[in-house]
Amino acid sequence: MLISTKGRYALRVMIDLAEHQTEGFVPLKTIAERQEISDKYLESIIKLLVKAKLLSGLRGKGGGYKLTKAPEQYTVGNILRVTEESLASVSCLDAGNETCPRAARCRTLSVWQGLDKVINEYLDSITLSELMHDESDGFDYVI
């Protein structure tokens, strides 16, 4: 599994909107500038998020985008499943593919199923609210 720029940018956009949710609808141009993403590419990502009802949009003056739910109700897994074709670690576990003819006798299938379970549980355990204002650099230990 390799997360595309679309998935990574979607996560950044969702965090941005969560951090600025008190501002109401945030214009696409404002999000693009803050996140340093081209307007055109961001537009294609936001369309996916709106279609999945993760965001709502408003056209015209005072328009833009905002979250449809509270940040703690979104998980990283929810967001990535909208933007990525698949989070499967191997193609035979991808829901869009036919069942592998070797599945019944595959000695490694349980390994890949276990890996997928770990990946999905991990991504579903992190909420948008946990990522907001997280400026830690990984060196937050005390001696």
Side-chain angles (χ1 to χ4, degrees):
M1 171 187 67
L2 183 65
I3 304 298
S4 68
T5 55
K6 191 178 288 187
R8 295 193 320 268
Y9 289 0
L11 193 54
R12 285 173 37 193
V13 166
M14 295 295 286
I15 294 166
D16 184 285
L17 289 171
E19 290 176 341
H20 295 92
Q21 62 188 330
T22 58
E23 298 171 20
F25 287 94
V26 179
L28 183 131
K29 189 166 189 66
T30 302
I31 302 165
E33 288 172 2
R34 283 196 295 240
Q35 294 304 314
E36 300 173 342
I37 303 171
S38 80
D39 292 7
K40 188 90 171 152
Y41 193 46
L42 181 58
E43 196 174 307
S44 69
I45 294 168
I46 284 189
K47 279 182 185 179
L48 293 171
L49 298 171
V50 169
K51 184 178 179 183
K53 297 186 178 12
L54 299 183
L55 298 179
S56 61
L58 181 66
R59 293 179 187 239
K61 187 176 181 178
Y65 299 91
K66 69 177 185 176
L67 302 178
T68 57
K69 302 181 279 191
E72 53 276 358
Q73 293 180 293
Y74 294 93
T75 68
V76 172
N78 296 141
I79 297 162
L80 292 179
R81 283 185 200 94
V82 168
T83 57
E84 301 300 312
E85 286 185 26
S86 172
L87 294 180
S89 56
V90 291
S91 63
C92 64
L93 293 179
D94 188 358
N97 289 343
E98 291 182 27
T99 303
C100 175
R102 295 181 42 86
R105 61 188 194 288
C106 180
R107 296 185 190 269
T108 61
L109 183 59
S110 63
V111 172
W112 309 129
Q113 289 170 331
L115 179 59
D116 275 7
K117 181 179 178 195
V118 170
I119 290 169
N120 282 288
E121 285 177 357
Y122 176 70
L123 294 176
D124 288 335
S125 74
I126 304 165
T127 66
L128 210 50
S129 62
E130 292 174 73
L131 299 175
M132 293 170 59
H133 307 292
D134 183 8
E135 297 174 13
S136 68
D137 57 3
F139 299 105
D140 57 353
Y141 58 90
V142 177
I143 298 177

